[in-house]
Structure formats: structure tokens, C-alpha cells
Amino acid sequence: MTDVPEQIDDLIYAPNPEYPYPFPVPQPPHFWMTEQTGKLSGSVERYFSGQRLSPEDLRLLRSYLRQYVARAVIAEGVDREALLRKIDTLKSNRDVERFADELSEAGIEPF
């Protein structure tokens, strides 16, 4: 794991060696809590608390989920590309919740 922060879209992730991704992968996904600008944590907190997500919240969550799904270990037989395409369709809290459930079934736990 590198110690160099990575910018993805307008989010900046700094790896936390005390909270590493538990599986060996070429490029581990970033966890939302390692994002450094503070933008993503606000969006995730609003999602967790059931507050209505703004268009900006949804944009940030989609960005986060895109990198996570692209990099995470996934269950055998799951179509990663189909999951990645679905991210752009997330338009509400309920959509994000359903998608998180689908990811969980695929062995991916981004939250």
C-alpha cells in the first residue's frame, strides 16, 4: 500500500495503514472515511441518517462507489461491469440503499 494520497474526481483519499483493505488486490479501494476533503463524509452521514440526499451528495456517493466497486474483491459470477453501470442510475436515498444491499450480496461492503 502506498502512502501517497490519490485524487479521484474531486475527492482526495489518503490510505490509512491502520485500516487496510483486507484482501490482496492490485489497487485496493478507498474507504469513505479516508477521504480528506470532508465532502464525502458529509454525504455519507446524511445517507446514514436518512436525510434527503442532494444532487451533490449523490454525485459524491456515485464517485465513491464507482472506485470502490471497480477495485474491490467480488463474489464469483457477479458481473462487475453491470454493477458499475448501475451506479449512474442512483438518484435517491432508496436507490443507494438498494444498491448497497445488492453490493453486499456480491461480497462488497463499501459502507
Side-chain angles (χ1 to χ4, degrees):
M1 173 173 22
T2 178
D3 293 337
V4 178
E6 180 180 9
Q7 182 167 351
I8 301 173
D9 297 328
D10 57 337
L11 300 175
I12 299 171
Y13 298 92
N16 182 346
E18 294 180 23
Y19 197 57
Y21 188 66
F23 305 103
V25 294
Q27 190 172 24
H30 295 287
F31 291 106
W32 67 268
M33 64 284 279
T34 66
E35 199 281 317
Q36 301 299 295
T37 69
K39 297 175 192 176
L40 182 59
S41 64
S43 297
V44 171
E45 292 301 327
R46 283 185 284 282
Y47 165 65
F48 285 162
S49 68
Q51 294 178 43
R52 185 176 180 174
L53 298 172
S54 71
E56 178 67 359
D57 289 330
L58 287 163
R59 183 185 72 79
L60 294 169
L61 287 170
R62 286 191 298 263
S63 174
Y64 167 68
L65 289 167
R66 199 171 293 111
Q67 67 82 28
Y68 203 98
V69 170
R71 297 175 176 195
V73 170
I74 194 167
E76 189 174 326
V78 174
D79 185 344
R80 185 185 309 268
E81 292 305 315
L83 291 174
L84 287 167
R85 285 190 300 272
K86 192 173 277 191
I87 291 170
D88 289 329
T89 69
L90 305 177
K91 307 289 185 206
S92 69
N93 296 55
R94 185 68 181 129
D95 290 347
V96 175
E97 184 177 337
R98 286 185 191 129
F99 187 65
D101 289 344
E102 186 175 350
L103 291 178
S104 179
E105 291 174 17
I108 301 173
E109 297 289 342
F111 299 111

